[in-house]
């Protein structure tokens, strides 16, 4: 499937997070900013990948209580 790109607010809305969370994920290296200069563009595939990994972790934490 063709990849598309989202700005910071669109990315946040896509995964139900605050736009500041998206910025933090970029700063921490969890997401790559694919925009130029100050423009933030996030690959939807990257975003869905990180969100899936976070969901797996959350479920394991809930199930095992760790």
């Amino acid at each position: 499937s063709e990849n598309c790109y989202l700005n910071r607010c669109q990315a946040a809305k896509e995964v139900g997070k605050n736009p500041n969370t998206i910025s933090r994920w970029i700063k921490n290296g969890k997401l790559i900013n694919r925009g130029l200069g100050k423009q933030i563009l996030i690959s939807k595939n990257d975003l869905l990948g990180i969100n899936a990994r976070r969901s797996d972790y959350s479920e394991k934490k809930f199930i095992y209580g760790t």
Side-chain angles (χ1 to χ4, degrees):
S1 67
E2 187 176 322
N3 194 11
C4 68
Y5 297 91
L6 307 170
N7 66 32
R8 191 175 71 117
C9 290
Q10 291 168 330
K13 187 174 182 181
E14 183 75 26
V15 293
K17 302 288 182 187
N18 188 291
N20 291 334
T21 300
I22 302 300
S23 296
R24 189 168 53 252
W25 286 352
I26 293 169
K27 183 178 179 183
N28 293 341
K30 293 180 181 178
L31 279 175
I32 298 169
N33 178 13
R34 300 183 185 275
L36 297 174
K38 292 186 177 184
Q39 181 185 28
I40 293 178
L41 286 178
I42 306 299
S43 159
K44 189 170 182 177
N45 288 344
D46 290 351
L47 182 66
L48 296 178
I50 191 175
N51 201 51
R53 289 192 304 275
R54 290 181 61 79
S55 294
D56 288 346
Y57 174 76
S58 296
E59 289 171 13
K60 289 176 186 169
K61 185 175 181 180
F62 177 75
I63 292 169
Y64 299 114
T66 56

